[in-house]
């Protein structure tokens, strides 16, 4: 029993010594204060953050682009050779593209021929910078309530898109064509306006339609659109 008591005393003394040593090390490590890590305002990222500008997969997040090109939305031509700036990928074409807010739209006079009605859809650069358009416009005939009349126009096949550079005040035009309803026998409606969407844009411009009935269903009711060329088509 005496031997056992002596062993217990030695074990207690050893434990007390170990705890005292641990307390001394802790006091040295944090200055004797149990405060949280200091938070400093500025550009430093939190300790748990990702300062590389990438997501958890290790790739830089890229905003989703305009992948749609329906007839009611302008459909341009994408180009490669993009450069990465500030964590997002851009291309020279995207950087110089004319945006809807920088343009005005109009419809030129009819130039009929061979049973066809042919109108130039004109976009004019009203901004103070030089920008470009490339490809097809979007277009839709609407009534006074804004409801679309007829299907989306079709795109002319066999046409090649070129980049048209517009200085302030300059214009580009694309052909809008349909068969004369009196000849084709197509059912018609008279639009209040034509909505025009520049290439690669989503917002449209509203142009009052003053050219009478247009085909909306039945035989030869298709409306077709061409690509943009320089000028007004006059």
């Amino acid at each position: 029993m005496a031997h056992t008591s002596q062993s217990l005393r030695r074990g207690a003394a050893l434990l007390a010594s170990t705890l005292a040593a641990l307390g001394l090390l802790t006091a040295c490590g944090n200055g004797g204060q149990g405060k949280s890590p200091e938070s400093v305002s500025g550009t430093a990222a939190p300790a748990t953050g990702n300062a590389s500008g990438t997501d958890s997969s290790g790739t830089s997040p890229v905003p989703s682009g305009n992948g749609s090109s329906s007839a009611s939305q302008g459909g341009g031509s994408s180009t490669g050779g993009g450069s990465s700036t500030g964590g997002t990928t851009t291309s020279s074409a995207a950087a110089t593209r004319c945006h809807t807010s920088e343009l005005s739209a109009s419809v030129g006079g009819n130039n009929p021929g061979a049973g066809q009605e042919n109108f130039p859809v004109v976009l004019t650069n009203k901004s103070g910078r030089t920008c470009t358009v490339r490809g097809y416009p979007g277009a839709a005939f609407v009534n006074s309530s804004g409801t679309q009349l007829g299907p989306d126009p079709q795109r002319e096949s066999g046409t090649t898109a070129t980049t048209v550079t517009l200085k302030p005040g300059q214009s580009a035009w694309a052909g809008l064509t349909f068969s004369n309803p009196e000849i084709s026998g197509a059912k018609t409606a008279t639009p209040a306006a034509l909505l025009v969407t520049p290439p690669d844009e989503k917002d449209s411009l509203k142009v009052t339609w003053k050219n009478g009935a247009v085909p909306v269903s039945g035989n030869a009711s298709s409306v077709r659109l061409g690509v943009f060329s320089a000028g007004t088509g006059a």
Side-chain angles (χ1 to χ4, degrees):
M1 292 294 290
H3 178 73
T4 301
S5 298
Q6 188 177 6
S7 298
L8 289 173
R9 284 195 297 273
R10 284 199 300 268
L14 179 61
L15 177 61
S17 177
T18 301
L19 291 175
L22 288 174
L24 179 61
L25 288 174
T26 302
C28 291
N30 63 7
Q33 300 178 17
K35 64 180 181 179
S36 300
E38 185 177 3
S39 177
V40 180
S41 62
T43 59
T48 57
N50 188 341
S52 67
T54 61
D55 60 20
S56 59
S57 66
T59 58
S60 299
V62 178
S64 58
N66 175 3
S68 173
S69 58
S70 68
S72 58
Q73 177 176 304
S77 177
S78 299
T79 58
S83 61
S84 180
T85 304
T88 60
T89 301
T90 60
S91 69
S92 57
T96 60
R97 185 179 81 239
C98 296
H99 300 293
T100 301
S101 61
E102 299 175 306
L103 300 166
S104 62
S106 61
V107 177
N110 187 15
N111 183 25
Q116 296 291 114
E117 310 299 322
N118 305 299
F119 299 91
V121 175
V122 182
L123 293 179
T124 300
N125 182 4
K126 67 176 185 178
S127 75
R129 74 178 185 104
T130 298
C131 58
T132 62
V133 294
R134 179 185 176 90
Y136 297 87
F141 289 111
V142 296
N143 61 19
S144 58
S145 300
T147 301
Q148 183 171 334
L149 302 175
D152 287 342
Q154 299 178 359
R155 293 176 179 177
E156 290 280 9
S157 60
T159 55
T160 301
T162 59
T163 300
V164 182
T165 300
L166 301 180
K167 294 180 180 180
Q170 291 185 331
S171 301
W173 71 281
L176 182 149
T177 302
F178 55 83
S179 297
N180 186 314
E182 294 183 0
I183 297 175
S184 68
K187 295 180 181 180
T188 64
T190 300
L194 176 69
L195 301 182
V196 179
T197 310
D200 295 315
E201 292 288 300
K202 293 182 178 180
D203 296 328
S204 60
L205 300 164
K206 190 174 185 178
V207 182
T208 301
W209 182 257
K210 302 178 180 179
N211 297 287
V214 300
V216 294
S217 65
N219 295 334
S221 61
S222 296
V223 177
R224 294 179 298 281
L225 292 166
V227 297
F228 276 105
S229 300
T232 62

